Structure formats: structure tokens, C-alpha cells
Amino acid sequence: MRTIAMLLGLTATPAAAQTIAVTHAEAWTMERAEPVRDATIVIEGGKVVSVTPGGAVPQGASVIDARGKPVTPGLVSGATQIGLVEVSGSGDTRDQASTDERNSGFDVSRALNGNSTLVSLTRADGVTRALIYPSPSRTPPFNGEASIARLRDRVDILDTSDVAVYAVIGGGAWERLGSRASQWSALHKVLGDARRAMAAPAGDEKKDKKDKREGPRGRRGGHHAGEEMIREVLRGEVPLAIQTHRESDIRQAAALAGEYGIRVVIVGGAEAWRAAEPLAAAKIPVVLDPQANLPGSFDQLGVRQDNAALLARAGVTVAIGQAGGAIHSNYNAGMALREGAGIAVANGLPYADALRAVTVNPLSIWGRGGGMLTAGSDADLVVWDGDPLEPSTNAMAVIVEGRQVSTRSRQDLLAERYRDIR
Amino acid sequence: MGMGGRFGSAIAAAALLTVPGAAQVRQAPWRDDPFPSRYMPAAPDDMLLRGATVLDGAGGRIDGGDVLVRGGRIVAVGKALANPGVREVDAKGRWITPGVIDVHSHDGTYVLPLTDIDREASDVSEVASPNAADTWIETAVNAQDMAFDRALAAGVTTIQILPGSTPIFAGRSVVVKPLRAPTVWGMKAVGGVQGFKMACGENPKSWGADDDNDGPTSRQGVIAYMRQGFLDAQAYGRERAAGKVARDLRKEALLGILAGDVRVNLHCYRAGDIAAVLSVAKEFGFRIGAIHHATEAYKIPGLLRESGTCAAVWADWWGFKMEAQDAVRAEAPLLERAGACVMMHSDSPADGQRLNITAAKAAAAGRRIGIDTPPETMIKWTTSNPAKLLGLDRQVGTLAPGYRADLVLWSGDPFSIYSKADLVLIDGAVAWDRAKPRTGPVSDFELGRGGVR
């Protein structure tokens, strides 16, 4: 048995079939609202084997002593664009948007870059998975298809592609169809046309089935046209994510979900608290930014920091994403997520619910499942040096797919290089 | 007759200039304030805050400390203070700090919600020319920006509103209290040093590179533009003193910088950019108050220290443009340990509500490289150090007898995400009381729109 010192940057030997035991953990399993104290968490083969108070350490396991500090499932961003952008001010380093007018399908998975400095910093801040979404495209109101990323410390960070069709409705500075009425109309037309085509006993549907046999859904590398994804939305296989803020649009979204019998996810939702009841009734979850308390646009006039608490109280599933707005939601995707969850707690969301909003909920909303720290869970977890929702807390050890990964970002390397300069 | 005054090749730092042949003494024209403040402190709420953890802003900490506030001023800070007969507030388990000071805000000019009207013509920067030295940002400030209310509720008591960083000489700043008033002049704080904004690097050169604009297109061009601007101002000063030329507001403002009466806040990121502007300041004999953003200041703390120039920094803005690639969260603790003057700044109405949290992030990043910063030091980054930059360090930013009573009673540790400003005092009057949210300020813009609180 080797003991891994709780020092930053010191990682366990990257053995393929590594057994790791995290000892003396305040383990947030996410099964209940309280942590398991003095837990031993045993990890093997990329899975959590056991979480046991005072549990034994298996022979040969690498040990990470949590020293009584919190251990949580790896955090999950409900919406970010890390891996698609490097220097946002420079267009030649951005991959968030498609300008292809021929294909409404824009699958971001082929652009994901695990070597990005934004990804390593996000991972160092305790995030192990994230929903990566496309920006507005040339086929409004559709942006394209979102992916789930797994923040391994290598270039391939794709977990699951095509997990949602992503659309944007409302006022905004980007190229739109004019009035939001036209945006809704375009969305209804696409869904209506696809539903009629699916109902017709034509050959197209057979062709689709043949396509589906090519491999498991979500690993197809994004070669399908947007129309195919719309059929998946109509079949209930993936949600339609609608990024929108205004109460009137959120109510339109709830009505749309009922009319077509589809799963809808609201992203943004500054005024979602005003439509909490219809959202709860339609089982529409909301991915929101709890930091927001100033309206970026007229669509967001009702923005308030207890949005998450009000929605959760009404029975709406809430996840945190796009946290911190323009710069932070990508450049500090991990820190802003924790800060946002902390602000949600400060504004009335129960602590355990806030942790769920950055673990279990985003994975369930985006159809992935998981995000727990229980026997059989994916071994994505983080050892913290304090309350993970405090920005003053550091992630001491991050484990992705059962392997301890580096928590040193490029910022750490720069800071160390100049530490003794006077 | 125009103004009088004598300008040597080295500009006198004296505030008052004798008009030759005239009986009266007239102050240097750049010291005139054409837009005088109408701010009047509210009636004071005298009180004795008992038993808090007190961070005095100047590096001191008292556990179980009391603060006595009377007549708008801090009368005493200590333990077991005698109550002269004022309201007593039980502050056990809570913390008291000076009010937060944000030295880099665009509140009132970058007013949310933004509309196409802002995108067409923003009030953040005057961009007709790289030289907007004649502008006063207060003439643009919309006092109805709800960001002022959010800042106040977050414990901010002093805000410097700067013009944007598109022009090289961007114009004068204004310092305000985030209080409700029909105009910015009802918020304008006086008694400090007049601030001025300059910019180097990507922002001004990108503007100049646009075909429609006439300005430098490179870093070297921007620095040359600055030097020529100061040379022209010096020549103007000599000619003006000789009564040869008409008044020029731009050159007059730059003369104020050279005289040491107008303090430069310089937007710069890269170490080389910072070193270059410090050299320009040395060449022309003035001191830059602070480098703002200063994302690479941690590479050259000695240069800042020797120049007497502070760094106003974010904790965690980085990467969004090339000159911000090397920003590190640990910058503030690195500069603090190197003996340089450092403070947190926001540049955004969202981050401006959490400058102490910004300090907490910076301190946490410092721990990652073995630098521990205690709370009594961290609080300097958001209180007494920014007060120095504004020339208000004998008035606010520190809890000590005689200081204006700008202070915050926090529900807990001010560096915790869960803590809130329970009570915010400005000039010894309660400006925000969390127990009475309905009495809190609401801007005219918000009124009647429903839902926004």
C-alpha cells in the first residue's frame, strides 16, 4: 500500500487497472442530504466499489487521505463551451458556431479539444463532466447538437455526442428571424414537418432505422443531418434545449412540450421563476446561472438570484450552467459553477440541492444519468480542502474514470515560475 | 483675459498659481470642477456595533471588537467600548469591515439591460479620436442604473467610474457613492484626487486599425502617441502661460497629469506594456496611480514598487484575448508578498458585487503555491489600498477614529460566498439594511416593471 501525499500536482501512478482508496472522507454520496463521515471510498476499474464508514483499504490500493474533508462526485457543468474556444477575442480559435447554411445539424463533438487550457483549469476546479453546447447558427432558431464532455487529461474528452438539439429563442444581438414569433413559428414548422414525415409510411423512416443500426446512439461522430436529430427529439430520445429567458417564451416552451409530447430543457431561464408552476407540471428542467441578478437584455428584466430556490421549491429540477456569464462561463467554468451554487444556497436553495444542481441533475437532464458517489457509480470524484461551494476552496485531488488526474493548470505553472520574483 | 500661470519645462506641482499682475490667486484650470457635487450625507444613524470580528482595512483584526459611529464618523474601534447613549447593535458572530471600494467600474455607462442603442453608440468610451482627454465620464452617467443598488446591497460604498479603454487618453473619472439620486452629482464623492483613464495594448490599437478610424495601429504607435501627447501639452502650457494660445481642454487635462493633480489609471495587460508606460511616466515626471487589469504585473513587481504605482487586478479574468493569456489567479498574493500595492477591481457590475469573493479566489490560488494571506491582509485589497488610489485614504477605507463611517456589518466571514451585507453605512447613515429590504433603493428604471427587485 502506497500513501499519496495530499499535495497538489502529485498524482498516483497511472496504472490501467488502478485501485484507489480515498480514506477519512466526508463523502457526499448524493443519496441523501447528509454526507457519510469518515468514509473509505474504494475505486476499481473506473467504478466506485464501496463507500463505507471506517472501511478497510484493499491490499495494494493507492491511498488518498482526505483528512476529514469533503469528497463529492466530480462536478458537472450544465452548460459551457470549454473545449470549443481558446481565445474568444480571436475568431480563428473559436469553434462554437456553424456558418453552414445547408445543414442545420452542427454536432460540436468533432471540435472538442481536451488539450485546451480552459479544459485543464476547469478540471483543476473539480469539474469532470460538462454539457458543451453550440452557439447560434445560420439556421435559426437552431444552433446544433450538444455533447457531454468527460474531462480526461488527454485530447479525447468526448463522453456522449448528440445529447440534445439546441435552439435559442428571444431578443439578441445575433442574426435572427426578426420577431420571436417568427422564431417560434420556425421551430413549430420543423417539428410539425418532421412529425408528419414520421407518420407517413414512406421509405425515409426505414432508412433512419438502418442508420441507427450503425452503432449505439451518441457515438456516431456527428455525421447526421439536423433533421435526424429532430426525429430523435420527437421520439423522446433526446431533449430539445431552448435557451430563452423571458416569461412569455418560457410559457411558450412549456406549451410546445405538451403539444408535441417532447422533452424540453430551458437553458438560461432568467424569468423561469415566474413560470415555475407550468414548468413543474410539464416536467421541464431549467439550467440556470444563479450569479445573475442584472438583466443583460430586456428578456431578463425579472432576473433574480433566488431563481434556483423558487424553482426547486415548486418542484422543478434545476442544474447550474453558463455560470458567471460571458467570460466566466468558459474561462472559469469550474470556479463559476461552484460560486453559482454557493450563491444559490445563500439565496435559499438547500445545500444538498445545490450539490445536486452541479452533479446529479445536469447528468439526468441531459440524459446521461449518474453523478453519484455510491457503489457502482462512475468513479469521477473530487477531494476538496474545504466546502466545495466556497470559492476559497481548492480541489486537492480529482479522479476521472477511476484515475487520478493532474490538478495543475497552466496558471499554477506560471505562478510557480514567478513565485520568487521580487 | 485668459487664465494666468507659469509653466516651466518641469511643470510645478503646486495647486495654486499666481496670476502675474493680478491680485487674486486662481487655481490651475485643470483643478476646476465644472460639474460640482451636490451630494449631501444623510442624517447620521449613530450606533455602537458590539462584539464583531473587526477587520480595520489597514491590516488590523480585532476579535470581539466594537465600533462606535457618531455624527457620520467613526469615533472609536476597540474592545468593550463605553456606550455614550447610542443605539447598540449586537454584532456577535458577524464581521465588520470598511465599505468595499471598487476603483474600476462602468456603472451608469454600461447600463444593463443593453440595447441596440448602446451597441450603436455606447457611452462607455468617446471614440471620435484616440484622445478624449477633454471628456468627463460623469456627464454620461445614468444615475438610474440598477447596478448601483446591487453594489450597495453587496457592501460597496465607493465606486470609481472610469471611461472605457478604447481611446489612449480616455478622459476623467468620477467617484460616486452608490446612493439613489436623480443625477450623478447627487452621488459624487469629493475630497479625493481627480482620476483619469488611459489605455495601452490591444484595445486602442484595434480601434486604430479599423479603416474608419484615425489612430495608432500598433503597440509602438500607442506609446508614441502618449509621448507626443504629453510633449504637446508641455508646449501648450508654455504658450498658454505667455497668453499666446486659446484654451484647449485636452491639453489642459494632460497638463493636470504632468502637474501631479490628475491621477492616471492605466489599462494595461502585458508586462512589457506596463514597463513601457511606467517609462513614459518617468520621462515626463509623473506617477501613474495604478495599472488596471495588469494581468502580468506579477512578473515585474519590482518595477511597480519602484514607481510607486499600484496594480488593480481581477482574480480570474484571463484568456479571452491574447494579452490576457498569462493572467493567474494568484496575482494579488504574489504582488502583496513582493511588497507591491495591489487591489481588486471589477470592470463589471456582476463582479463588482463580489470583490471580497474575488479576493478569496486570489488567496486560495496563493495557497496552491505556498502563499498564505490572512483575512486582515486580504481586506486591504478591497478597502484601504483602493482608497489610496482615489486619494481618499485619510477619509475612507479604514476603520479608525476620525474616518468617515463607510462600513459594512457582514452576516459572517466577508470572504465566504454565503455571507451578506446586513447593514451598510455611508457617512454614518444606514444606506442598506437587509432586515428591511422593502426600504432598500429601487431605481426609476426598475420601478413598475414588475419582478425585478
Side-chain angles (χ1 to χ4, degrees):
Chain A
M1 185 176 86
R2 290 169 297 121
T3 299
I4 298 167
M6 284 281 292
L7 284 172
L8 288 162
L10 196 61
T11 61
T13 315
Q18 192 181 16
T19 300
I20 300 175
V22 181
T23 59
H24 309 297
E26 181 193 292
W28 288 85
T29 63
M30 310 313 299
E31 267 185 321
R32 55 184 80 86
E34 292 295 319
V36 177
R37 314 266 174 199
D38 196 32
T40 300
I41 303 162
V42 178
I43 297 153
E44 206 171 69
K47 297 283 177 188
V48 174
V49 175
S50 60
V51 181
T52 318
V57 173
Q59 195 77 34
S62 300
V63 174
I64 300 172
D65 184 352
R67 299 181 184 176
K69 301 290 188 186
V71 178
T72 65
L75 303 188
V76 183
S77 171
T80 179
Q81 295 188 312
I82 57 166
L84 296 182
V85 59
E86 200 64 32
V87 185
S88 60
S90 188
D92 51 0
T93 72
R94 290 195 304 252
D95 284 305
Q96 300 114 303
S98 167
T99 56
D100 184 352
E101 289 171 5
R102 298 160 301 176
N103 184 3
S104 60
F106 165 50
D107 170 3
V108 298
S109 70
R110 278 180 169 162
L112 284 179
N113 176 22
N115 293 338
S116 163
T117 53
L118 282 73
V119 172
S120 54
L121 181 65
T122 304
R123 185 170 53 231
D125 281 328
V127 173
T128 63
R129 281 176 282 197
L131 188 281
I132 313 294
Y133 67 94
S135 288
S137 73
R138 292 279 172 83
T139 53
F142 295 102
N143 294 16
E145 293 89 48
S147 288
I148 292 175
R150 192 92 176 253
L151 306 191
R152 310 169 186 111
D153 54 356
R154 57 176 194 263
V155 67
D156 174 18
I157 53 168
L158 180 62
D159 181 272
T160 316
S161 66
D162 299 327
V163 297
V165 172
Y166 205 96
V168 180
I169 298 271
W174 61 89
E175 195 60 41
R176 310 304 296 158
L177 297 169
S179 166
R180 74 193 70 217
S182 297
Q183 298 164 26
W184 282 116
S185 172
L187 188 51
H188 275 268
K189 183 174 189 311
V190 167
L191 289 168
D193 289 352
R195 182 162 67 177
R196 275 189 296 279
M198 285 166 70
D204 279 1
E205 189 65 3
K206 283 179 191 164
K207 189 165 167 269
D208 285 342
K209 281 174 184 163
K210 183 168 166 263
D211 278 357
K212 286 194 72 64
R213 283 196 297 273
E214 285 174 358
R217 194 188 69 73
R219 283 287 187 185
R220 296 164 308 171
H223 56 280
H224 285 249
E227 292 77 5
E228 161 71 11
M229 285 294 293
I230 293 296
R231 288 192 282 274
E232 294 192 8
V233 167
L234 286 164
R235 288 194 292 261
E237 292 168 7
V238 298
L240 173 63
I242 305 177
Q243 184 175 308
T244 195
H245 288 290
R246 206 171 79 174
E247 181 187 4
S248 71
D249 291 321
I250 290 165
R251 289 179 184 271
Q252 288 283 340
L256 179 98
E259 185 176 340
Y260 293 92
I262 59 174
R263 290 156 58 201
V264 167
V265 177
I266 298 292
V267 181
E271 296 190 345
W273 62 274
R274 286 174 154 173
E277 281 181 27
L279 288 173
K283 296 194 179 353
I284 295 177
V286 179
V287 178
L288 53 78
D289 174 13
Q291 298 194 30
N293 68 349
L294 286 165
S297 71
F298 265 76
D299 286 10
Q300 301 163 50
L301 282 178
V303 67
R304 48 196 281 176
Q305 284 183 325
D306 54 0
N307 196 11
L310 295 172
L311 287 167
R313 210 171 294 153
V316 178
T317 302
V318 169
I320 298 175
Q322 297 182 337
I327 288 178
H328 298 305
S329 63
N330 291 334
Y331 287 95
N332 296 298
M335 178 62 91
L337 193 72
R338 300 200 275 123
E339 187 175 0
I343 288 171
V345 172
N347 287 278
L349 187 67
Y351 186 85
D353 287 352
L355 268 187
R356 293 181 69 81
V358 292
T359 54
V360 177
N361 291 359
L363 289 174
S364 108
I365 287 169
W366 299 119
R368 176 66 171 72
M372 313 261 288
L373 189 53
T374 51
S377 295
D378 288 338
D380 281 20
L381 53 130
V382 182
V383 183
W384 305 93
D385 71 356
D387 179 348
L389 305 192
E390 285 282 12
S392 56
T393 294
N394 285 312
M396 303 303 289
V398 178
I399 293 170
V400 180
E401 292 180 332
R403 293 182 49 208
Q404 190 175 1
V405 297
S406 172
T407 56
R408 287 174 92 205
S409 69
R410 181 168 175 273
Q411 289 194 23
D412 288 325
L413 300 177
L414 279 165
E416 281 164 13
R417 169 172 284 186
Y418 288 92
R419 180 174 47 197
D420 299 320
I421 295 281
R422 293 292 188 273
Chain B
M1 182 181 160
M3 61 134 228
R6 292 178 313 231
F7 304 98
S9 56
I11 298 297
L16 299 176
L17 300 168
T18 307
V19 180
Q24 90 261 35
V25 171
R26 197 191 182 291
Q27 74 175 2
W30 54 80
R31 289 180 66 102
D32 288 347
D33 184 350
F35 308 105
S37 170
R38 294 176 168 275
Y39 168 66
M40 293 287 290
D45 297 301
D46 295 351
M47 64 180 75
L48 176 59
L49 301 149
R50 276 250 190 251
T53 303
V54 179
L55 303 178
D56 71 7
R61 169 178 176 146
I62 306 170
D63 291 308
D66 305 344
V67 178
L68 177 62
V69 175
R70 287 189 95 178
R73 302 270 168 175
I74 292 165
V75 174
V77 180
K79 288 195 165 201
L81 297 179
N83 187 346
V86 298
R87 170 191 169 198
E88 204 158 307
V89 176
D90 180 3
K92 280 188 201 69
R94 298 193 273 179
W95 294 55
I96 300 172
T97 71
V100 174
I101 300 174
D102 186 353
V103 296
H104 193 123
S105 171
H106 300 291
D107 288 358
T109 57
Y110 177 86
V111 181
L112 300 175
L114 292 178
T115 65
D116 281 346
I117 293 163
D118 299 290
R119 285 180 273 272
E120 177 74 23
S122 162
D123 287 334
V124 174
S125 292
E126 167 53 52
V127 294
S129 149
N131 187 344
D134 51 345
T135 63
W136 295 63
I137 196 65
E138 62 208 79
T139 56
V141 170
N142 178 355
Q144 300 305 331
D145 188 348
M146 64 180 96
F148 292 121
D149 308 324
R150 301 292 185 276
L152 175 68
V156 178
T157 55
T158 303
I159 295 172
Q160 176 172 235
I161 302 169
L162 291 165
S165 51
T166 308
I168 296 165
F169 296 113
R172 300 202 197 206
S173 69
V174 66
V175 177
V176 302
K177 301 296 189 185
L179 296 167
R180 281 278 125 241
T183 73
V184 67
W185 295 291
M187 307 159 70
K188 184 174 177 176
V190 293
V193 175
Q194 175 65 54
F196 188 90
K197 174 79 174 290
M198 288 174 60
C200 76
E202 286 179 24
N203 287 15
K205 81 166 186 163
S206 302
W207 182 86
D210 192 308
D211 285 347
D212 296 337
N213 300 330
D214 184 22
T217 65
S218 64
R219 285 190 151 75
Q220 61 270 36
V222 169
I223 297 297
Y225 190 97
M226 288 178 187
R227 295 179 68 215
Q228 191 62 52
F230 287 122
L231 275 175
D232 291 350
Q234 286 177 333
Y236 163 79
R238 288 189 295 270
E239 289 168 11
R240 184 78 181 140
K244 289 180 185 168
V245 290
R247 195 174 175 196
D248 181 317
L249 293 176
R250 292 179 182 176
K251 287 171 181 162
E252 185 177 289
L254 299 191
L255 273 180
I257 292 169
L258 297 177
D261 292 331
V262 176
R263 187 164 291 171
V264 171
N265 296 265
L266 222 157
H267 157 118
C268 265
Y269 286 72
R270 280 184 358 196
D273 291 340
I274 297 169
V277 298
L278 289 174
S279 290
V280 171
K282 195 170 181 183
E283 177 185 5
F284 288 92
F286 69 94
R287 183 172 67 84
I288 296 169
I291 306 294
H292 288 240
H293 314 330
T295 48
E296 293 187 13
Y298 69 95
K299 298 180 180 178
I300 48 166
L303 273 184
L304 288 167
R305 213 173 44 229
E306 290 158 16
S307 310
T309 294
C310 297
V313 304
W314 297 295
D316 58 351
W317 288 38
W318 72 282
F320 49 94
K321 52 182 172 172
M322 280 311 294
E323 61 188 7
Q325 287 301 299
D326 288 2
V328 297
R329 282 187 196 152
E331 171 148 87
L334 282 165
L335 289 172
E336 177 73 39
R337 199 178 62 160
C341 160
V342 63
M343 68 197 73
M344 311 315 295
H345 75 344
S346 77
D347 206 7
S348 102
D351 287 22
Q353 298 172 48
R354 288 185 293 281
L355 283 181
N356 284 333
I357 296 302
T358 294
K361 292 175 187 172
R367 285 208 317 277
R368 292 169 70 90
I369 54 167
I371 303 175
D372 280 315
T373 312
E376 55 269 29
T377 301
M378 290 160 66
I379 199 72
K380 288 163 58 182
W381 302 340
T382 58
T383 58
S384 62
N385 285 359
K388 270 179 220 154
L389 174 62
L390 303 181
L392 291 169
D393 48 316
R394 296 298 177 89
Q395 301 185 48
V396 295
T398 297
L399 300 179
Y403 276 74
R404 291 170 174 268
D406 283 11
L407 62 82
V408 183
L409 173 63
W410 302 93
S411 62
D413 178 347
F415 302 104
S416 166
I417 195 72
Y418 307 122
S419 294
K420 291 179 172 171
D422 282 346
L423 215 51
V424 180
L425 271 60
I426 291 182
D427 278 319
V430 174
W432 167 254
D433 183 346
R434 192 163 71 94
K436 301 173 186 167
R438 287 180 196 288
T439 67
V442 176
S443 73
D444 293 349
F445 178 83
E446 281 186 79
L447 199 66
R449 289 187 197 270
V452 191
R453 34 182 230 167

